Amino acid sequence: MTIAPPDAGPPATPPNPPQPSPTANLQREWRLAGVIFFGLLALAVLWGAALIIWPFMTAILLAIILVTLTYPTFRRVRTHTKGKSHVAAVLMLTGITLVLVIPAVILSMLLVQQANTVIENLQSPETVKTLRSIDVTKYLSPIQRIAPNFDPRSLSPEKLLLPAIQRVPGWVARNGGAVVGGLAGAVLGFFLVLLAAFFFYVQGEVIVRELALLSPLPQRYDDEFANKFKDVVDATFRGQILTALAQGLATGVGLAIVGVPGSIFWGAVAAIFSLIPMVGAGVVWVPAAIYLFISASMGSRPLWQSIFMVAWGVLVVSVVDNIVRPWAMKGKAQLPAIPLLFAILGGLQAFGFVGLVIGPLIFSLLMTIIGIYRRTFSDESVEIASG
């Protein structure tokens, strides 16, 4: 007798096959030729965009630096304007214009006046007589024993300085038009900076999010680059520029106390040289002290002025760097002195004034890239990961 098997029911329905993801579909759409063509097209468009933007790159970089420094304040202003980014950006740029332009115009007028005073004093008969009376041949004559063809009189102030002083009025007359054109270009450049800053205020957060999405790097490295950029901008502005302004102010005050003509002008010159590491304001106050000493030896000035200038330069101007810089930096990252010197000088040569920030920024980002490479691709990291 045969027993029939129980009814097994309808056959089981096979499970649904896995559906390909949209990403997989997109990847299948891209053939190798399409990828190559798209890459070449993207490079060509990026190159064209770079050519278009390059003439305005200085204005754009200055706007990025300005927005980076003031963005926390912009956020507070935006909160008070109930989240209206456009209104907050207009208020920020109005305040920045008033804070920067009005003092800059006043300082420029003072500098022009002081420069005229300096030129008049350099061309005065008393100064010419003083320069002609300075005899350096007796101090340089030992060099002639080593180098017989050396003429000590070629380094006399009369031959080195007087021709340059006599050519100053002619230079001003020849380059007056260029100076006026430079001022007009500066006004236009500042307007472009304001336009770019307005865009970055309003769209800055969107741009940062888009860059993070486009970046193939891990999120922690994107954050590291962003933090390094902000730290370098803060460090350069607060550490370099504020310290230079403080040293220039201290130098100008010291020169004014001893009655050197054009103290504001020379203070501005000292501030500019203070931006360069291992150069500093000594380029101004040391020659001023020598000039005061020579004048005192000739009886035209009291001796205390030269002594005071040396003491002021050593005890005040030089110490300002050690006081203001740590206060301004507040733990911000900074390159060592020698790499910083090359970064600033190379940045100034390659990018102009904005190279004061771009040079240290590129060097700091280079150090960040090296650090990321060591942590990710070095032999030690590979051994740790495999072990």
Side-chain angles (χ1 to χ4, degrees):
M1 177 177 171
T2 304
I3 300 175
D7 188 6
T13 304
N16 294 327
Q19 298 294 327
S21 63
T23 305
N25 290 332
L26 290 176
Q27 290 176 350
R28 282 199 296 267
E29 290 180 3
W30 286 89
R31 295 177 298 175
L32 178 60
V35 172
I36 295 175
F37 175 77
F38 179 80
L40 295 175
L41 180 63
L43 290 176
V45 172
L46 289 174
W47 176 252
L51 291 178
I52 294 172
I53 295 176
W54 186 254
F56 313 103
M57 187 57 66
T58 299
I60 294 173
L61 291 174
L62 287 175
I64 292 174
I65 294 169
L66 181 64
V67 172
T68 301
L69 292 170
T70 59
Y71 204 78
T73 305
F74 168 75
R75 285 179 174 172
R76 291 193 291 269
V77 174
R78 185 176 59 184
T79 301
H80 290 295
T81 57
K82 300 179 180 180
K84 297 178 180 179
S85 298
H86 291 76
V87 177
V90 171
L91 292 176
M92 285 292 299
L93 295 178
T94 302
I96 290 171
T97 301
L98 294 176
V99 169
L100 293 180
V101 171
I102 294 178
V105 171
I106 297 175
L107 181 61
S108 298
M109 295 173 63
L110 290 174
L111 287 177
V112 170
Q113 181 181 0
Q114 292 280 297
N116 291 331
T117 302
V118 170
I119 293 173
E120 291 176 0
N121 281 275
L122 289 175
Q123 293 179 333
S124 65
E126 181 183 355
T127 302
V128 174
K129 181 180 178 181
T130 302
L131 292 175
R132 287 176 175 171
S133 62
I134 298 175
D135 185 14
V136 297
T137 55
K138 58 183 179 180
Y139 301 104
L140 300 178
S141 55
I143 301 178
Q144 199 170 16
R145 300 173 185 173
I146 303 174
N149 295 327
F150 172 72
D151 184 8
R153 292 174 297 179
S154 62
L155 296 180
S156 64
E158 180 181 0
K159 290 190 176 182
L160 289 178
L161 298 179
L162 281 181
I165 294 173
Q166 293 169 354
R167 285 195 295 265
V168 169
W171 183 90
V172 173
R174 290 192 303 270
N175 296 274
V179 172
V180 174
L183 292 176
V187 173
L188 177 60
F190 184 73
F191 179 71
L192 294 177
V193 171
L194 294 181
L195 287 179
F198 178 84
F199 175 76
F200 290 132
Y201 275 134
V202 176
Q203 299 293 331
E205 294 176 347
V206 176
I207 293 173
V208 171
R209 286 197 300 268
E210 290 295 327
L211 290 176
L213 292 175
L214 294 174
S215 174
L217 297 176
Q219 182 65 37
R220 65 181 185 276
Y221 293 149
D222 290 334
D223 296 338
E224 185 173 348
F225 277 113
N227 293 331
K228 178 63 68 174
F229 177 84
K230 186 177 183 303
D231 287 344
V232 171
V233 171
D234 287 345
T236 303
F237 180 80
R238 296 176 183 174
Q240 294 295 114
I241 296 182
L242 292 184
T243 304
L245 291 176
Q247 286 192 309
L249 178 62
T251 303
V253 170
L255 295 174
I257 291 175
V258 297
V260 173
S263 57
I264 298 178
F265 173 79
W266 293 117
V269 174
I272 294 174
F273 279 107
S274 297
L275 292 170
I276 304 175
M278 302 190 326
V279 177
V283 174
V284 174
W285 69 260
V286 170
I290 296 174
Y291 161 76
L292 293 172
F293 178 77
I294 294 174
S295 299
S297 64
M298 298 179 61
S300 59
R301 282 180 174 270
L303 182 61
W304 72 265
Q305 291 183 349
S306 59
I307 298 175
F308 173 84
M309 195 68 243
V310 173
W312 184 270
V314 174
L315 300 178
V316 177
V317 178
S318 299
V319 174
V320 161
D321 181 74
N322 298 323
I323 295 177
V324 176
R325 190 183 300 274
W327 169 81
M329 297 285 291
K330 293 181 181 178
K332 299 295 182 181
Q334 188 184 19
L335 291 172
I338 295 179
L340 181 62
L341 173 64
F342 284 101
I344 290 178
L345 294 179
L348 287 172
Q349 184 176 2
F351 302 100
F353 180 76
V354 75
L356 286 172
V357 177
I358 300 302
L361 176 62
I362 292 177
F363 268 49
S364 297
L365 292 180
L366 174 62
M367 300 304 296
T368 303
I369 291 173
I370 294 174
I372 291 175
Y373 178 84
R374 290 182 60 186
R375 294 195 304 270
T376 307
F377 301 106
S378 66
D379 294 338
E380 296 179 1
S381 300
V382 173
E383 290 176 2
I384 293 173
S386 61

